[in-house]
Amino acid sequence: MAQHLQEWLQALAHIGAAVNHGVSLGELLDLIAKTACKLMSYDFCAITIPDAASQVLIIEGSYGLSAEYIREVNATHPLRLHGVHTPTASSQAFDMGIPVQIEDIGRNPTTLAWRAAARDQGYTSMISVPLNSANEILGTLNCYTRSTHHFAKEEESRLLLLAGQAAVAITTSRLRSEQAKRITVLNDLNKSLEEQHELQRQADAIHERLTALTLEGGGVRALGGALAEILDRPVAVSETNGTLLYQTEREGASLPAALLSIDGALPLPDVTSAGNPGLLADVHIPDTAGTRTVVRVPVMIKEQVVAWIWTSGKVSELRPLDRQAMERAAAPLALELLRTQTAIQALWWETGEILSGLLSGGRHNATTLLAQAARLGHDLSSPHAVIAVRFEHRNEGDLPYWLAATFSRVARQIAPRPLIGSYDGYIVALWPLAPTTPIDEVRSIGDEVRRISSGRSHAAISGPVTSSADYPSAFATVRGAVELAALRNSPSGTLALSDLGLVGLLLQLPDVSALSHYTDAVLGPIRDKGLPEDPPLLPTLSALIHNDLNASKTAEQLHVPEDAVVEARRQIEDLLALDLSRASDLTRISTALEVDDVLEGRQR
């Protein structure tokens, strides 16, 4: 008895040691099955556990049983726990929590479905003992013998003792497994937190680096270069109107040509209306090699997008730190652009103040204005051309920042530096001229100023101006030329006074009151004359002159019948007592019409 007890204690200790060593549940169940066979001298043993849905009992551990038998029971004829079926020893033991035995498998009606498998396996008798734990039944311990065997009460007691210890071992093993899983989850979570902390630390370091560059006055170029180094990718920064502020300049850096072209319009999405304006997004841009995908993030000031940061690739290809760097770079760039914007607006206001003093002809101290311009790097003591372009802006306010910034950039790139600003609804540039530079040679500069302003407007050039006292009349002249071109619906372009002939000379006159008397004397009889159903006489006369007295072309231009034009010409000649066919009369009338246009341009 002492030896037998020692064997039991050693076997249970072995099971406990296996649990403590963290063997898998399958290995533990196999060990329990083997221990039961060895201690009780049985031929085969199986441990059944309910499946996840608690519908059937599955053999999860065994000793001595063949793989074919286990497959037959688990897959073909499972031990069902619920539904309409003949109760089995295992299901009864599991449901009732008591041992259930079958002395002869071949004669018991409940084993009909498993007789062939039992015969192939070679057992005749079996007993199923529940694995009772404190709160539930975990499964069954099934033992089999080759020969017919009756399991006595003492055997049942021993098996219940062994099953109880097995249940404790299974419960402990599951707890250890769950604990190990929780530990793994906690370790993973801790590792994730450490990675996030490290990512945050690196992101903060990037933010500090970029902010320091901003505070040091490094500008957009320094910020863009630092970001390109961090990402190890090409970077571009553009304003919302498509003006490129920075692009990576290094070998191998590649972004779509449409993005890197200052003159090319960027197909930018309206990210504000698309939602999530603070997130990175993929943008598809047409390129010479086909559509390319780039990543962009907005730079925002007061909830408005003022610029974009671009890099190559897709959002999904960026590392988490790269994404953080892109988003973190937006704030220092916004600060830099705000600083730049404030400086440019202040400079634009100051240049506008200088222009106002020079062009208005008011009581401004010319010496003070020239000194103020010199402090900004403009030498107005040398000859300058006056270039004027009307800027049509919807709002009566300051010039849009992007336009002021563009002109400021243009001015910085030229030496001697031109003075560019806004005055009285016009963009005005005082452009330095070399002593021998003909005024026509700066026509391309006027075209550039016009293109930047709107592209569809008129520009005019006057000069050279050599004295500050001459700026008011020079501006009045170019403004009159622009208004006259608009009045005549002339094609957009840049006008020099030499293009306008007599009109150019008339525009330079400081006093046009005598001209007004002249046009009234010549054209007065036909002003506001004509029947309501007929075309007005003065516009008809102007159209006839410009169409070389061709009645058909004039009628087409005025959208009236040709007969009406012929009759209007007759009335004009009668009222003015002249004949348009005579060269002298035609010259007199043409001159009067041009003078009248000059007067209207001055009034506008």
Side-chain angles (χ1 to χ4, degrees), residues 1 93 188 190 247 261 281 350 394 397 443 458 468 572 600:
M1 177 62 73
D188 292 342
N190 185 60
Q247 72 178 79
S261 173
E350 192 167 5
R394 294 179 181 178
R443 188 187 302 268
H458 298 89
S468 60
I572 291 169
E600 186 171 351

Side-chain angles (χ1 to χ4, degrees), residues 214-248:
T214 301
L215 297 177
E216 292 168 2
V220 175
R221 177 172 296 277
L223 290 171
L227 183 59
E229 179 184 334
I230 292 167
L231 300 177
D232 195 24
R233 291 170 177 264
V235 168
V237 180
S238 71
E239 293 179 342
T240 53
N241 70 322
T243 301
L244 197 63
L245 301 178
Y246 169 79
Q247 72 178 79
T248 304

Side-chain angles (χ1 to χ4, degrees), residues 429-475:
L430 305 185
W431 210 274
L433 293 175
T436 59
T437 303
I439 196 68
D440 283 352
E441 289 191 10
V442 297
R443 188 187 302 268
S444 60
I445 299 170
D447 288 335
E448 181 65 14
V449 174
R450 183 176 57 83
R451 183 192 67 80
I452 296 173
S453 300
S454 67
R456 297 184 300 275
S457 58
H458 298 89
I461 305 173
S462 178
V465 178
T466 57
S467 171
S468 60
D470 295 333
Y471 278 115
S473 60
F475 174 69

Side-chain angles (χ1 to χ4, degrees), residues 24 56 74 89 134 159 192 245 286 340 376 462 470 528 577 582 587:
S24 67
V56 296
N74 286 345
L159 287 173
S192 176
L245 301 178
T340 304
L376 298 178
S462 178
D470 295 333
D528 302 323
R582 286 199 298 266
T587 301

